[in-house]
């Protein structure tokens, strides 16, 4: 769907408005100011053909202006009408308008006639058109006896209206007794003369209330004809007929129409089938944009006809049996029309001038002149006047030459009458435009500055810009004859004061006007095309930019009309929001921004989409035994094209109320051929689908019951499986109701033993899905078939399937069971297969039962848990994974079928060899001293053999997370603790501990521990080193250094000034007891120690009572080594998580001893 965005702009100061203003000013420039002498001018008069309501007063208008004010007189039917002698007639004061009083006893018919008004003053006389007064008439229908119309089906018929002749002619229409218009179509329609034409009658045309009505608009009355009765009788067969024209009759006719009128041509034809009308113009084309077809193409309408539309027009009526035609010769005549109408002429004494009166028509009109209402031939002589056909020439006029001249152009179809005066005046220039008038114009639009003037002789006009500006000339300005100055494209610099100067030989005058240029109004963010689902919310934006001196107003329209009066429409400053959108909100929304100078607008289309409406008028046609055609009419697609239709059916016979999918067709299709099954009572419904969703289902179609038939298909999924060793259970999926194809659905079940020369055994069962055959041998194959049948016969021959009678337990156990131990956790078992005959069923496979009898490394017995491994199919070996090392196992093997397991083979005993042990159950490090640690451990949970020893490995860890040399100790298997001596004090060690069997080493566990520190100087040294690496300490030292530097500068300045700063004395007098001299032995500064430096160490110096190392009890925890080489210490992860979060590194300590009395102490040199 393509977006639809429309934008239009209109400006009051644009070219159209300028042209209108220009034309108005040209006309006003010809007007003589009313304070000057001038002949009369007719300003208002009644129409030439004036039809009046006979019940109301007759008002005949005649208004005129002139100086001095004119007097009025009337003629009636060419003679003077003395209104003073008729009490029913009055003339309005200061006016020539007549009022004929009909409502107080006057009769309109008495005042029928031709009236003409004359307005006269000392300078001349003007006359009105001939005004023909006729009262309207709405006569009653004449009484007539109407016989009923007896018509044969298929014949044509014309019901005549023949309305009474009224003035003006009435409007005709046909209705019934209930005042409902009778429906019309290509077959039945009303002619231009009001008659009702039937191209062919049908039985439904029978009725007794065909009534013709005539409405007389002028009197607001409606006349009714007597009802006409029509009775259609049928004869079979109905005879078809080729077209015959009912109107117009014959093969040709003529038509005359006047120029500018509407040409109406009509052709109505009889025939069966109903004829179709087509129009052509011989030797030409029907005029585009002016041609319309009405009354089901029976009427050709051409508006605003001209002489070029004359010619032969042919109507052709055609049906399947033939055609008929009629040619109408059209001649376009013309009442007189102006080419150049005479215009008022203002001359100064001694000037020359002309009055021109040119008109055309068909036939060509004659031109006649009158002077002051009198034919010019008998009018008083004027030496300055000369008549030359359609022109009067004036030379050297004088004041007495002032008069009103009338030009009459007439032919047989009408006349034109125009008044034009010649006014001889001597007047200096005057400017009629108000002084200092302000013009405001939008930039880049035309500016038209008015300078309405009058003078005789005609003044010359000049324009200047500014107070002392030069005369305006050049192509950027346009100077109009009425004095206006046009600036075609006004710019900002066009702003200013403009002066208009008018001069003739009698004088000079001037006037100033002001011009301001404003910025245009612009919609900078226009509304955009929107597609919205029903009940959603949508918003259109309209953001504007405008001149700061102009006040804009914003109006929203829907489809060029006001917004609905609905609270769902919310108009904001820059937007329009529609809440809870409905289908009726669909349309074009326009934002119009108006200022006093311009107007801009922008439009956008809102498309409301929704799920389609359901289809309707479902119809079944072409009913056959196995098919039917379904057709339907789609519902409204709700602005989202229908993509497909879903057809569903209901089986009212077998599953009433349940709808099933039948088929699906494209959205462009409205009929479908449906395949049907016998013995089904079908109803259909249709669902339309578009991008939004599915419609509601249509109303169901009529029901259609198909005939019964024998079944087309047999049951599916036929199986034969015994439930007992001596039976055969035959099962199948029953046919669904509509698959039965008829009443009395049953099944014929047949079976026989395979590979045995047996006859089929058959049985007929009711509509069930199972049959049990008893007394069968155990597990033998059977051929099986199930055939459907109903009251009309059998389904086609079914296919055979193979089934088996019931299974029994296997008879023998597998033999020659052998076990081959592959390693301490895996063994392979072999066996010989059993004979298939002894299986007595479907071989499922072999099952190996195995269980541990005893662990050779422990004396205690556990509960025996048997494990089962199943090996599918006819396999003769299998692997037993997950065995425990150094254990005694037993196993047996059994064969399995669908019934169960056979007897077990004799138990087979086997042993698994030793394996590596599991890790020791725990490792604890207790009793830390300055140079020793005590280790305790538990034996492995799973020795997996005979333990031979324990292996202990350990190594020191320094403060930079580096690991020292590894030391390994082998410990006898019967030990459970060990004291390590000669270790370095205040040193962290990492221990690795595992057990061994003859096969190898098991998994190790790890632990860490720290020997304690000296509680004196070692604690202080460690503390000082710790503090020295802290960020806050470094910052503090920098601050102290800066303070000392400032003090030194102050001292230096004071000393240079001769002053004395007794620093030494003050220090001696106020010595801080906490300040200590520098200790040479440990290199620390006493002044940075605190009370905690002299307390016993609480963290990392002692082992807690539970004899395990915890994070909260040691600052020297493993956190400090988390980023080291061995980031994760134990292979089993025992320390991960216990030591986490601390990232600071301690500075490396100096060597506390140079001796290495033991292998352990030898590590000191690394630490």
């Amino acid at each position: 769907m393509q977006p639809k965005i429309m934008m239009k702009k209109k400006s009051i100061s644009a070219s159209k408005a300028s042209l209108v203003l220009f034309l108005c000013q040209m006309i006003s420039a010809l007007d003589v100011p009313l304070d000057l002498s001038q002949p009369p001018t007719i300003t208002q008069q009644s129409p030439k053909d004036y039809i009046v309501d006979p019940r109301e007063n007759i008002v005949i208008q005649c208004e005129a202006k002139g100086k001095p004010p004119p007097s009025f007189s009337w003629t009636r039917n060419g003679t003077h009408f003395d209104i003073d002698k008729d009490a029913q007639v009055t003339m309005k004061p200061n006016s020539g308008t007549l009022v004929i009083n009909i409502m107080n006893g006057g009769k309109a018919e008495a005042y029928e006639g031709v009236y003409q008004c004359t307005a006269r003053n000392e300078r001349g006389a003007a006359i009105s058109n001939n005004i023909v007064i006729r009262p309207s008439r709405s006569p009653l229908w004449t009484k007539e006896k109407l016989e009923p119309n007896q018509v044969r089906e298929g014949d044509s018929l014309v019901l005549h209206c023949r309305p009474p002749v009224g003035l003006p002619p009435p409007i005709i229409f046909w209705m019934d007794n209930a005042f409902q218009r009778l429906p019309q179509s290509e077959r039945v329609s009303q002619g231009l003369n009001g008659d009702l034409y039937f191209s062919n009658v049908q039985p439904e045309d029978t009725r007794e209330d065909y009534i013709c009505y005539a409405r007389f608009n002028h009197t607001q009355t409606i006349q009714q004809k007597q009802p006409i009765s029509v009775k259609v009788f049928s004869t079979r067969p109905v005879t078809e007929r080729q077209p015959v024209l009912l109107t117009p009759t014959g093969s040709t006719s003529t038509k005359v129409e006047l120029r500018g009128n509407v040409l109406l041509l009509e052709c109505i034809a009889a025939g069966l089938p109903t004829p179709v009308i087509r129009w052509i113009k011989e030797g030409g084309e029907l005029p585009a944009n002016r041609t319309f077809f009405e009354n089901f193409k029976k009427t050709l309408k051409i508006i605003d006809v001209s002489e070029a539309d004359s010619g032969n027009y042919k109507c052709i009526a055609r049906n399947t049996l033939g055609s008929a035609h009629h040619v109408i010769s059209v001649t376009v005549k013309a009442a007189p029309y102006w080419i150049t109408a005479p215009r008022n002429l203002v001359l100064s004494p001694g000037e020359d001038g002309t009055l021109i009166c040119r008109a055309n028509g068909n036939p060509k009109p004659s031109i006649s002149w009158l002077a002051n209402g009198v034919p010019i031939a008998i009018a008083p002589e004027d030496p300055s006047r000369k008549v030359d056909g359609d022109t009067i020439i004036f030379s050297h006029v004088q004041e007495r030459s002032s008069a009103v001249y009338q030009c009459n152009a007439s032919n047989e179809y009408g006349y034109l009458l125009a008044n034009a005066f010649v006014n001889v005046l001597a007047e200096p220039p005057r400017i009629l435009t108000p002084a200092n008038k302000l013009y405001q114009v939008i930039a880049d639009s035309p500016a038209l500055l008015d300078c309405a003037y009058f003078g005789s002789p005609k003044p010359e006009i000049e324009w200047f810009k500014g107070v002392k500006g030069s005369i305006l000339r050049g192509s950027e300005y346009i100077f109009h004859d009425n004095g206006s100055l046009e600036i075609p494209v006004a710019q900002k610099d066009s702003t200013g004061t403009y002066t208009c100067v008018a001069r003739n030989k009698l004088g000079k005058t001037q006037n100033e006007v002001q011009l301001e240029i404003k910025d245009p109004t612009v919609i900078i963010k226009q509304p955009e095309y929107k597609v919205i689902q029903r009940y959603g919310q949508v918003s259109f934006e309209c953001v504007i930019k405008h001149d700061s001196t102009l006040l804009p107003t914003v109006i929203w329209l829907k489809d060029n009309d006001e917004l609905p009066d609905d609270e769902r429409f919310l108009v904001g400053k820059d937007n329009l929001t529609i809440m809870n959108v409905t289908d009726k909100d669909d349309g074009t929304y326009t934002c119009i921004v108006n200022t006093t100078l311009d107007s801009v607008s922008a439009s956008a289309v809102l498309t409301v989409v929704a799920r389609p409406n359901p289809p309707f008028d479902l119809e079944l046609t072409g009913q056959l035994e196995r098919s039917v055609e379904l057709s339907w009419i789609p519902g409204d697609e709700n602005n989202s094209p229908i993509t497909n239709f879903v057809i569903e059916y209901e089986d009212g016979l077998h599953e009433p109320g349940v709808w099933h999918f039948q088929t699906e067709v494209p959205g462009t299709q409205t009929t479908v051929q449906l395949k049907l099954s016998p013995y089904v009572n079908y109803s259909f419904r249709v669902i339309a689908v578009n991008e939004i969703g599915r419609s509601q289902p249509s109303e169901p179609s009529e029901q259609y019951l198909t005939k019964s038939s024998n079944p087309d298909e047999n049951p599916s999924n036929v199986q034969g499986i015994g439930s007992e060793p001596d039976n055969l259970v035959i099962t199948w999926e029953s046919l669904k109701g509509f698959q039965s194809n008829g009443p009395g659905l049953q099944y014929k079940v047949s079976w026989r033993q395979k590979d045995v020369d047996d006859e089929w055994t058959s049985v007929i069962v009711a509509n069930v899905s199972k049959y049990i055959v008893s007394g069968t041998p155990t597990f033998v194959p059977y051929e099986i078939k199930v055939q459907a049948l109903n009251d009309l016969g059998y389904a086609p021959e079914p296919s055979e399937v193979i089934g088996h009678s019931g299974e029994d337990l296997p008879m023998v156990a597998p033999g020659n069971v052998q076990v081959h131990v592959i390693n301490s956790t895996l063994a392979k078992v072999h066996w010989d297969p059993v004979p298939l005959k002894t299986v007595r069923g479907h071989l499922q496979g072999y099952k190996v039962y195995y269980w541990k009898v005893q662990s050779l490394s422990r004396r205690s017995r556990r509960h025996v848990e048997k494990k089962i491994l199943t090996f599918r199919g006819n396999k003769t070996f299998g692997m037993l994974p997950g065995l425990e090392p150094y254990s005694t196992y037993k196993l047996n093997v059994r064969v399995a079928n669908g019934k169960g397991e056979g007897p077990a083979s004799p138990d087979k005993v086997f042993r698994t060899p030793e394996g590596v042990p599991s890790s020791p159950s725990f490792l604890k490090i207790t009793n830390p001293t300055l140079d020793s640690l005590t280790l305790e451990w538990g034996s492995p949970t799973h020795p997996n053999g005979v333990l031979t020893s324990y292996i202990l490995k350990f190594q020191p860890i320094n403060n930079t997370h580096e690991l020292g040399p590894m030391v390994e100790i082998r410990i006898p298997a019967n030990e459970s603790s060990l004291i390590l001596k000669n270790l370095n004090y205040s040193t962290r060690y990492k221990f690795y501990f595992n057990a061994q069997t003859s096969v190898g080493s098991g998994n190790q566990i790890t632990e860490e521990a720290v020997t304690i520190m000296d509680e004196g100087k070692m604690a202080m040294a460690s503390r000082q080193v710790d503090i020295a690496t802290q960020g806050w300490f470094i910052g503090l030292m920098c601050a102290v250094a800066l303070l000392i530097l400032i003090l030194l500068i102050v001292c230096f300045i004071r000393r240079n000034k001769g002053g004395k700063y007794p620093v030494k004395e003050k220090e001696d007098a106020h010595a801080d007891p906490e300040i200590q001299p520098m200790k040479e032995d440990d290199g620390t500064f006493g002044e940075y120690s605190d009370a905690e430096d002299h307390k016993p160490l609480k963290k990392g110096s002692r082992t807690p009572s539970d004899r395990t190392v915890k994070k909260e009890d040691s600052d020297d925890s493993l956190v400090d080594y988390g980023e080291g080489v061995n980031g994760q210490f134990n292979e089993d992860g025992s320390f991960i998580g216990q030591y986490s979060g601390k990232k600071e590194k301690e500075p490396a300590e100096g060597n506390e001893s140079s001796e290495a009395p033991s292998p352990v102490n030898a590590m000191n040199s690394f630490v």
Side-chain angles (χ1 to χ4, degrees), residues 44-64:
Q44 193 172 3
Q45 57 183 317
S46 293
K48 294 179 182 179
D49 192 6
Y50 188 17
I51 299 175
V52 298
D53 190 336
R55 300 166 300 180
E56 297 179 355
N57 292 340
I58 302 173
V59 178
I60 311 175
Q61 290 184 328
C62 179
E63 303 290 341

Side-chain angles (χ1 to χ4, degrees), residues 844-876:
Q844 301 290 330
Y846 290 88
K847 293 186 177 182
V848 178
Y849 287 73
Y850 64 101
W851 63 96
K852 187 171 73 171
V853 178
Q854 183 182 9
S855 174
L856 298 179
S857 59
R858 296 198 207 110
R859 295 182 180 179
S860 61
R861 289 180 174 268
R862 295 187 303 170
H863 171 70
V864 176
E865 180 184 354
K866 289 188 177 182
K867 298 181 180 180
I868 305 173
L869 285 178
T870 300
F871 300 94
R872 298 288 177 186
N874 200 19
K875 294 190 70 174
T876 59

Side-chain angles (χ1 to χ4, degrees), residues 617-636:
D617 282 357
L618 273 64
E619 184 179 6
L620 297 179
T621 56
Q623 290 92 337
L624 300 175
E625 289 187 2
R626 295 296 182 99
S627 68
V628 69
E629 183 174 88
L630 173 66
S631 61
W632 61 90
I633 298 176
D636 194 336

